[in-house]
Amino acid sequence: MKKLLVAAALVLGLAGCSTATGSSAGNSAGETLTVFAAASLKASFTELAKTYEAEHPGSTVELSFAGSADLATQISQGAPADVFASADTGNMDKLQQAGLLDGDPRVFATNTLAIAVPPGNPAGIRSFPDLAKPGTRLVQCAPQVPCGAAAAAVETQTGTDLTPVSEENSVTDVLGKVISGEADAGLVYVTDVKAAAGKVEGIPIPAAAAAVNSYPIAALADSRNLAGAQDFLDLVASPAGQQMLADAGFGSSRQ
């Protein structure tokens, strides 16, 4: 009888261990990672998210794209997220100074401005100063947005005074207005021109080399999935992740 009781106890104990292990594995496999990223990262981070999910079966990456300033504001106001990738260091610095980051941010890519025009370039834009010609419907990012700050730097560099008909809160909104024909030209990133190939034509801006945007990424202190956040940061910095970014037109951080 005692032997039967001991055997039963062992069976129950093993069953309990098996259930606990299965539960733990299920939670790990089903974790969600929330990534806030600059609008210009949409194409590349969508691909990176797919790679992450393939490497973490059962996990889900929820992506939220917007202007870096808007995302930083949302995070500072308590929006739940695990990772933040900004199109500039300024907005990331604000979160770091507020104690909202887990560790130091890493710069993982760079980007520069280009002029996007509709196919055929009906307004005849050939250079950055052409954007200031009377009657030109120029759209650019608002000053607080990284692409807007870069545009201001190029204005200073070239001695050009731009008068846009509209200032947008994200670079994708600028690009959308050029694609829809609402603008003769838009100041976007070289990566946006590449992503919209066939829908817009790109005109390089030599002076933009003096206004390179550095893209930092960091895990957030209030993350509910810090392990997953770290894995995502490692993926972005990995050779495979860097190749995806290079394919999208981003420059190397070399940091």
Side-chain angles (χ1 to χ4, degrees):
M1 183 65 178
K2 288 183 179 179
K3 290 182 178 180
L4 289 173
L5 289 173
V6 171
L10 286 171
V11 170
L12 288 173
L14 289 172
C17 290
S18 175
T19 301
T21 302
S23 174
S24 176
N27 288 338
S28 175
E31 287 182 341
T32 296
L33 185 72
T34 302
V35 177
F36 279 19
S40 51
L41 291 165
K42 186 172 183 177
S44 53
F45 266 44
T46 298
E47 291 303 310
L48 283 164
K50 292 177 182 177
T51 300
Y52 178 93
E53 291 174 345
E55 293 177 352
H56 298 74
S59 294
T60 301
V61 179
E62 293 185 351
L63 298 166
S64 180
F65 298 105
S68 298
D70 286 344
L71 293 174
T73 297
Q74 291 175 36
I75 292 169
S76 65
Q77 293 177 346
D82 301 299
V83 173
F84 175 46
S86 175
D88 70 339
T89 55
N91 283 294
M92 185 68 78
D93 288 345
K94 291 176 184 177
L95 297 187
Q96 187 170 33
Q97 291 165 9
L100 298 177
L101 304 184
D102 181 75
D104 293 329
R106 313 175 187 177
V107 173
F108 65 93
T110 59
N111 214 347
T112 54
L113 290 182
I115 302 169
V117 297
N121 191 10
I125 305 298
R126 303 298 177 193
S127 65
F128 191 84
D130 283 349
L131 299 175
K133 291 191 303 185
T136 300
R137 296 177 302 161
L138 169 67
V139 178
Q140 66 183 66
C141 293
Q144 71 272 16
V145 183
C147 54
V154 178
E155 281 188 77
T156 300
Q157 181 75 10
T158 60
T160 306
D161 186 18
L162 300 180
T163 53
V165 296
S166 177
E167 294 183 335
E168 306 299 322
N169 287 323
S170 76
V171 71
T172 49
D173 290 339
V174 173
L175 186 65
K177 291 205 168 185
V178 176
I179 292 174
S180 68
E182 296 178 64
D184 297 317
L187 285 172
V188 299
Y189 293 115
V190 293
T191 53
D192 299 302
V193 171
K194 185 169 184 175
K199 298 179 181 178
V200 299
E201 294 178 8
I203 299 168
I205 306 172
V212 177
N213 282 54
S214 293
Y215 283 57
I217 189 170
L220 297 173
D222 289 338
S223 168
R224 296 181 181 179
N225 186 4
L226 274 176
Q230 186 60 54
D231 284 349
F232 191 84
L233 265 60
D234 290 343
L235 172 61
V236 171
S238 71
Q242 289 293 295
Q243 187 59 56
M244 289 183 198
L245 289 160
D247 290 345
F250 287 94
S252 172
S253 63
R254 297 189 183 279
Q255 294 191 23

